[in-house]
Amino acid sequence: KLKQLTSTMATMTTTTPLTKDQCHEEFRAGVTATLRSWSAFRTAVESGWGGGGSPEKAEVLRQSIYDHLDGSSVPPKMDLSDLEDALA
């Protein structure tokens, strides 16, 4: 695994910088992957713990993360208290 990691790191350092659009796509992919791999979140959505429309609510959360943390403003449009409220 160390050899594979070293190879991956070497590749990462020799690639050209990402464009802004590519960065946004990478960010979106990362958010999606994180939410899909978050077992408690996935179980809650699949079990309907959020009430009716749990999958739709999960999508709204994912889209809200994109919209508020899209890198278009510094500081981000959402602060910690807003994030806490959105997750409550």
Side-chain angles (χ1 to χ4, degrees), residues 17-28 70-74:
L18 297 175
T19 65
K20 187 175 182 177
D21 288 340
Q22 289 171 321
C23 288
H24 284 160
E25 288 304 312
E26 290 290 321
F27 175 70
R28 291 174 72 90
D70 65 359
S72 65
S73 66
V74 177

Side-chain angles (χ1 to χ4, degrees), residues 2 4 8 13 24 26-28 30 32 35 41-42 45 49-50 55-56 66 70 72 82 84:
L2 181 58
Q4 182 182 14
T8 301
T13 60
H24 284 160
E26 290 290 321
F27 175 70
R28 291 174 72 90
T32 299
L35 291 176
F41 182 73
R42 190 175 59 245
V45 171
W49 295 350
E56 292 81 8
Y66 296 157
D70 65 359
S72 65
D82 292 334
E84 289 171 346

Side-chain angles (χ1 to χ4, degrees), residues 13-84:
T13 60
T14 60
T15 59
T16 58
L18 297 175
T19 65
K20 187 175 182 177
D21 288 340
Q22 289 171 321
C23 288
H24 284 160
E25 288 304 312
E26 290 290 321
F27 175 70
R28 291 174 72 90
V31 168
T32 299
T34 299
L35 291 176
R36 286 183 179 164
S37 65
W38 184 5
S39 60
F41 182 73
R42 190 175 59 245
T43 299
V45 171
E46 291 170 356
S47 300
W49 295 350
S54 287
E56 292 81 8
K57 291 175 183 176
E59 179 57 29
V60 168
L61 174 62
R62 188 170 66 100
Q63 191 61 48
S64 293
I65 292 170
Y66 296 157
D67 292 345
H68 293 0
L69 302 174
D70 65 359
S72 65
S73 66
V74 177
K77 293 178 249 178
M78 178 183 267
D79 64 16
L80 184 56
S81 64
D82 292 334
L83 179 60
E84 289 171 346

